[in-house]
Amino acid sequence: MKKNRINSDVLRKSKYDTEIVIEPKEDVQVEVKTGEHGELIIRTFPIETNYEYHRKDFALYKNPPTPPGYKYKCAEWNEGIVFEREYDKSEIVWVPAGALKPNGTLDGVNFREKFGARPFGEIEFERGKYKDPDTHEFISLIRSVKKYGGFFISRYEISINAKTGLPQSVKGKKPLVNVDFDKAKELASSFEKNQYINSHLPYGAEIDSIAEWFIESGSKTYEEVVRNSTSWGNYRQNAHSTGELVQTGSREEYCVNNIYDFTGNATTWTQEKYDGVYHTMRGGNYSNPGTYFSAIRRTFEKSGNRSEANGFRVALYLK
């Protein structure tokens, strides 16, 4: 059996100062690295070429658990099941990652994951410029998606409740914009604070899994998602556009699998990084053409940048 020894460079950068030896099974590949805060990250991947291992994971994607504090509202799993938070009527949508083809990636090298980022033909992604950070939260997200078969995304762009001052996902409100990355991340994390569910600013793997779901479900074509998203978002070229930010859920044409305004209206902050420094934004906004700034379009900003066209959504996973 081949043993994996963690080299001294990795150990020096981590909190560990002794040799660590990993003895995996013969059909398991081991990846070891340090995270952003010096934590030691050890991942294992089954060494298979026929993806049989995916069949025993994601078992609940057709029947997700109802998060505590929420109630089922409408739809079937392949249409986007909607759950409503009881105390403020915020709505979230279940994304059945377990139904997707294993063509995504979590490391930018191996494309064999149902849940993961997709290049969608972007050269900069293929050059390894875009990558989700290896945080404890991201690793917990991956584990949760494999256990439950999916994750949740806010049905609407996030707005602020006028009475409580708290973030919400409801229809008919002005999206919160002009927020920098740190504020968006803070507010996204505060959307849910309990021992059962985690809320966070979306990762690139989540945005791409949603886009892939739109295509595979037949709700949108590859062309509409990747090359020209004008028809299903508040873009300046859209016949219905006024060239301004509109309220959440303003038109049914902007709803796909029960998720409103996935692209257009406000560009979305994510935790995905560009070149390890900048933070990635996805989609376009009301001032952009939907032909260039399509639903999956990646752009990047410094963390402190703010704009009247930049907003965010909230993603959630079961603990």
Side-chain angles (χ1 to χ4, degrees), residues 8 14 66 125 132 139 169 200 202 218 240 248 309:
S8 57
S14 71
T66 300
F125 181 92
D132 280 322
I139 295 169
S169 169
H200 56 277
H240 302 293
T248 57

Side-chain angles (χ1 to χ4, degrees), residues 193-224:
K193 287 186 176 180
N194 61 62
Q195 61 183 321
Y196 305 106
I197 191 169
N198 166 284
S199 66
H200 56 277
L201 197 64
Y203 290 90
E206 290 171 302
I207 297 298
D208 285 346
S209 293
I210 295 171
E212 181 72 15
W213 176 41
F214 289 168
I215 296 170
E216 291 190 26
S217 67
S219 297
K220 290 296 170 186
T221 65
Y222 183 91
E223 178 77 17
E224 290 173 313

Side-chain angles (χ1 to χ4, degrees), residues 8-277:
S8 57
D9 288 338
V10 173
L11 288 175
R12 276 197 295 270
K13 294 176 184 177
S14 71
K15 301 175 183 178
Y16 303 88
D17 56 6
T18 58
E19 183 180 57
I20 298 176
V21 178
I22 301 171
E23 296 185 351
K25 295 180 179 179
E26 292 182 359
D27 60 347
V28 173
Q29 172 187 343
V30 177
E31 175 187 271
V32 181
K33 62 174 70 175
T34 53
E36 287 191 329
H37 305 292
E39 67 271 27
L40 190 66
I41 299 171
I42 302 173
R43 285 181 178 163
T44 60
F45 302 94
I47 301 175
E48 300 189 36
T49 58
N50 59 4
Y51 304 108
E52 286 294 323
Y53 66 97
H54 286 288
R55 296 183 182 179
K56 57 193 177 189
D57 295 324
F58 307 102
L60 299 178
Y61 72 86
K62 290 185 178 181
N63 187 29
T66 300
Y70 290 76
K71 63 180 181 180
Y72 167 83
K73 183 172 182 178
C74 64
E76 299 294 329
W77 70 270
N78 56 339
E79 301 168 336
I81 300 176
V82 179
F83 294 94
E84 181 183 81
R85 189 157 63 182
E86 294 175 352
Y87 77 83
D88 71 346
K89 307 304 181 184
S90 283
E91 295 177 353
I92 59 177
V93 176
W94 174 250
V95 181
L100 302 179
K101 297 175 182 177
N103 59 2
T105 182
L106 294 172
D107 59 9
V109 177
N110 301 294
F111 290 81
R112 59 184 183 188
E113 304 291 342
K114 293 189 173 189
F115 171 72
R118 272 85 173 171
F120 291 116
E122 289 192 291
I123 299 300
E124 289 295 284
F125 181 92
E126 294 172 355
R127 291 174 178 168
K129 292 291 185 178
Y130 291 97
K131 183 79 165 54
D132 280 322
D134 279 315
T135 60
H136 174 73
E137 179 181 72
F138 185 58
I139 295 169
S140 297
L141 165 64
I142 295 170
R143 186 181 301 118
S144 174
V145 173
K146 292 202 73 175
K147 178 179 179 180
Y148 295 104
F151 60 94
F152 303 95
I153 191 74
S154 59
R155 191 179 192 189
Y156 304 98
E157 296 167 305
I158 295 300
S159 58
I160 294 295
N161 188 296
K163 293 182 179 180
T164 66
L166 298 175
Q168 61 183 4
S169 169
V170 297
K171 188 174 185 176
K173 300 296 180 180
K174 181 182 178 181
L176 178 63
V177 293
N178 202 28
V179 290
D180 61 21
F181 171 82
D182 291 333
K183 188 61 176 180
K185 184 179 178 183
E186 174 191 338
L187 289 170
S189 296
S190 72
F191 186 82
E192 281 293 350
K193 287 186 176 180
N194 61 62
Q195 61 183 321
Y196 305 106
I197 191 169
N198 166 284
S199 66
H200 56 277
L201 197 64
Y203 290 90
E206 290 171 302
I207 297 298
D208 285 346
S209 293
I210 295 171
E212 181 72 15
W213 176 41
F214 289 168
I215 296 170
E216 291 190 26
S217 67
S219 297
K220 290 296 170 186
T221 65
Y222 183 91
E223 178 77 17
E224 290 173 313
V225 171
V226 177
R227 297 195 177 93
N228 187 354
S229 304
T230 303
S231 66
W232 56 290
N234 179 28
Y235 288 101
R236 74 182 189 200
Q237 295 169 314
N238 192 301
H240 302 293
S241 177
T242 62
E244 299 176 333
L245 187 74
V246 297
Q247 292 184 339
T248 57
S250 63
R251 301 191 68 85
E252 290 303 309
E253 299 98 306
Y254 302 163
C255 180
V256 183
N257 290 2
N258 278 323
I259 300 172
Y260 284 86
D261 309 309
F262 182 77
T263 191
N265 210 33
T267 313
T268 302
W269 279 111
T270 75
Q271 294 196 58
E272 185 182 66
K273 285 189 173 182
Y274 173 78
D275 218 15
V277 179

